Amino acid sequence: MTAVVNGHSVVGATVTRLRATFEAGRTRSLTWRRDQLEGLHRLLTERESDIAAALEADLGRNAMGTFMGDIAPVTAEITHTLAELTSWAAPRKVRLPAGQQPGKARVVPTPKGVVLVIGAWNFPILLTLQPAVSALAAGNTVVLKPSELAPATAALLADLLPRYVDPAAVAVVTGDAAVSTSLLAERFDHVFFTGSDRVGRIVLEACAKDLTPATLELGGKSPVIVARDADLDVAARRIAWAKSVNAGQACIAPDYVLVEDAVRPAFVERLLHHIELAGQAEPTRIVSEAHFDRLDGLLSGHGGEVTGGARERATRRFAPAVVTDPDPDSPLMQEEIFGPVLPVIAVPDLASAVRFVVARPHPLALYLFTSSDATVERVQDLTNSGSFCVNHLLYQLLVPDLPFGGVGASGIGSYHGQHGFDTFSHLRAVLQKPTAIDPSFAYPPYGPGAQKLLRRVMG
Ligand code: NAD
């Protein structure tokens, strides 16, 4: 529930306070922006063990998993942003066409104002602080709403952030969907949402009332295509690793595999070997009983063959399971899995794999294992997805100049690097003309000479 103080919601008062900070103008200076990023960097390095403990409490994750998944990507983003901030924030010169001479044109990145970031629970530091890095770099004030399903991390963020960044410009509001709903009733200048497509639709509808721009970082079923010319052992090892990270609870985790029939037996044999090893090395548990039961349910009624998947509801530990040849119409192949269950479907050839992918909503990520550049180009040309990663998985997330985001059902907009900076900036068009030259042929009525000239230079 939203707390109420003196008849005003805390949420409303927080947004008003952050708007006053923005309007006072101090978030515009690059020095202030750098101070915030350096504060976030200090928070992540000085408090790494507190963060690891919170993630251990929320998800059972170990400290190295938290460093790799939640801390290192954000510190890397901060370092990259600090190095590039001056150039990203500078006016971008634009050429004027002949008919517009003389004059000067530029694009001026302008802070939007007060930004709302709503995060998901699976990487609860990454999915709140990484958008905050871009939003602060772009000169905005930020309200963060972490997920209630990672309560220890949410409480830690609420405690630590005001100590490391400007508390008049960054606020953490903790709580569940009801708190999110009351936040969305306020007017923001940008809403950045990470979560399910179901809630994404609710967020977009709420944004419509004030015409607030929104970025939606959603999920979906990210396929892996294994071609007959792939290095099968490396493919199996990398897929098994990527499916095990955070117990498969990752938005760009491989959701299912399409493997060419000719190499199916050899690939499945390697996959079963590597997935067992990867599962043993991954301590993360399923986030809640509801999600445990959902995954448990997906493991029946699919008509395929299950290997692995040992699980215990009391501890919410769930070993990875491989399901070969499930029914494509079963819930397992219709819903986003978001857990350590990996369906493998054999297809006669690459064209059938492409048809399978294209017949479904555009995924957040598409993975391909092949040794042929021609196959890479073919699959790249015939499909669409938020990202396309060849011969590995997940690492596209860590390339700072690649946009991270979905397309169609997997999301709207993107962030990371300059893409994030631009997402939280209004790219303002500025044209500046001199007054010294003001020829009368530029004004109606246009004589024959002016008409000829204007037709030549304006069209
Ligand atoms: P979710 O949609 O249930 O919740 C996300 C956030 O929305 C939470 O903070 C929650 O409190 C809030 N929320 C819930 N109900 C709401 C409502 N009715 N109105 C307003 N806000 C509401 O998602 P989740 O379970 O936290 O995360 C899992 C989903 O997120 C998966 O679909 C996954 O693929 C996706 N995801 C995407 C990315 C990405 O970067 N694209 C990253 C992680 C997770």
Side-chain angles (χ1 to χ4, degrees):
M1 290 299 288
T2 311
V4 172
V5 177
N6 296 333
H8 298 289
S9 81
V10 167
V11 159
T14 302
V15 178
T16 303
R17 187 166 60 82
L18 264 55
R19 188 165 296 287
T21 305
F22 179 74
E23 283 169 2
R26 78 163 174 271
T27 67
R28 290 179 179 249
S29 96
L30 293 193
T31 309
W32 180 90
R33 302 186 201 184
R34 279 198 195 90
D35 285 348
Q36 308 318 305
L37 301 191
E38 282 161 6
L40 286 178
H41 199 282
R42 270 200 317 281
L43 185 160
L44 290 163
T45 46
E46 288 176 13
R47 299 305 186 120
E48 184 179 337
S49 57
D50 297 325
I51 295 169
L55 264 297
E56 218 278 327
D58 285 334
L59 289 169
R61 239 209 257 145
N62 64 24
M64 192 58 196
T66 290
F67 173 77
M68 295 286 283
D70 270 285
I71 293 178
V74 189
T75 51
E77 177 84 30
I78 293 171
T79 305
H80 180 64
T81 304
L82 284 170
E84 301 294 333
L85 184 59
T86 307
S87 93
W88 294 347
R92 302 168 195 177
K93 216 171 151 207
V94 166
R95 240 170 41 89
L96 274 189
Q100 292 275 9
Q101 300 285 358
K104 289 188 289 192
R106 56 192 176 273
V107 174
V108 180
T110 306
K112 286 188 171 174
V114 188
V115 164
L116 171 63
V117 173
I118 302 176
W121 51 265
N122 56 327
F123 291 92
I125 295 287
L126 177 78
L127 301 174
T128 47
L129 293 194
Q130 186 145 6
V133 169
S134 301
L136 291 167
N140 301 284
T141 60
V142 187
V143 178
L144 297 178
K145 210 299 277 174
S147 169
E148 70 280 16
L149 288 187
T153 311
L156 187 69
L157 281 171
D159 176 36
L160 292 185
L161 268 162
R163 304 200 225 163
Y164 284 87
V165 291
D166 184 345
V170 181
V172 180
V173 176
T174 58
D176 57 9
V179 170
S180 229
T181 304
S182 47
L183 276 165
L184 288 166
E186 301 293 326
R187 184 174 70 79
F188 287 93
D189 301 292
H190 193 99
V191 172
F192 188 101
F193 170 80
T194 302
S196 60
D197 63 335
R198 181 187 71 80
V199 179
R201 284 165 222 270
I202 296 171
V203 169
L204 203 54
E205 269 193 59
C207 287
K209 73 178 183 336
D210 291 316
L211 295 175
T212 304
T215 305
L216 301 181
E217 297 283 341
L218 311 177
K221 292 182 86 63
S222 295
V224 190
I225 300 173
V226 178
R228 66 183 72 204
D229 63 355
D231 181 325
L232 296 181
D233 192 56
V234 170
R237 185 182 192 186
R238 292 181 178 180
I239 294 166
W241 161 76
K243 188 65 178 181
S244 304
V245 166
N246 213 33
Q249 302 167 114
C251 57
I252 50 170
D255 189 281
Y256 63 93
V257 178
L258 299 169
V259 58
E260 278 196 84
D261 236 345
V263 293
R264 176 197 187 278
F267 170 73
V268 170
E269 186 206 320
R270 301 313 298 153
L271 182 67
L272 293 178
H273 166 73
H274 286 300
I275 212 153
E276 196 185 338
L277 294 180
Q280 284 162 6
E282 179 57 55
T284 307
R285 59 174 178 262
I286 304 307
V287 67
S288 66
E289 283 181 357
H291 279 283
F292 183 96
D293 294 342
R294 180 183 62 77
L295 289 164
D296 189 60
L298 287 180
L299 271 180
S300 50
H302 48 64
E305 189 184 330
V306 181
T307 310
R311 53 197 179 276
E312 184 184 53
R313 194 167 190 267
T315 56
R316 304 200 303 280
R317 297 298 305 274
F318 207 122
V322 171
V323 183
T324 43
D325 305 313
D327 175 357
D329 294 325
S330 63
L332 179 68
M333 283 306 298
Q334 295 292 321
E335 293 169 21
E336 178 181 13
I337 295 173
F338 216 65
V341 178
L342 183 62
V344 178
I345 294 186
V347 286
D349 49 29
L350 202 69
S352 311
V354 166
R355 273 200 302 277
F356 195 100
V357 171
V358 169
R360 288 162 175 75
H362 298 323
L364 187 57
L366 173 63
Y367 300 105
L368 169 67
F369 281 84
T370 180
S371 54
S372 150
D373 285 347
T375 300
V376 173
E377 261 183 51
R378 194 171 146 210
V379 174
Q380 182 179 295
D381 286 354
L382 293 174
T383 59
N384 201 357
S385 57
S387 60
F388 177 46
C389 183
V390 180
N391 290 330
H392 219 313
L393 308 92
L394 312 187
Y395 278 104
Q396 71 271 30
L397 173 89
L398 299 178
V399 181
D401 291 328
L402 283 179
F404 185 82
V407 55
S410 55
I412 299 175
S414 65
Y415 68 135
H416 291 191
Q418 186 170 0
H419 306 284
F421 180 90
D422 286 356
T423 285
F424 291 108
S425 301
H426 167 56
L427 298 180
R428 192 177 189 194
V430 178
L431 174 66
Q432 191 174 348
K433 300 285 269 182
T435 53
I437 306 165
D438 198 32
S440 46
F441 69 73
Y443 297 92
Y446 301 113
Q451 284 195 29
K452 207 169 150 201
L453 180 68
L454 289 171
R455 281 183 184 281
R456 210 172 68 226
V457 297
M458 297 298 287

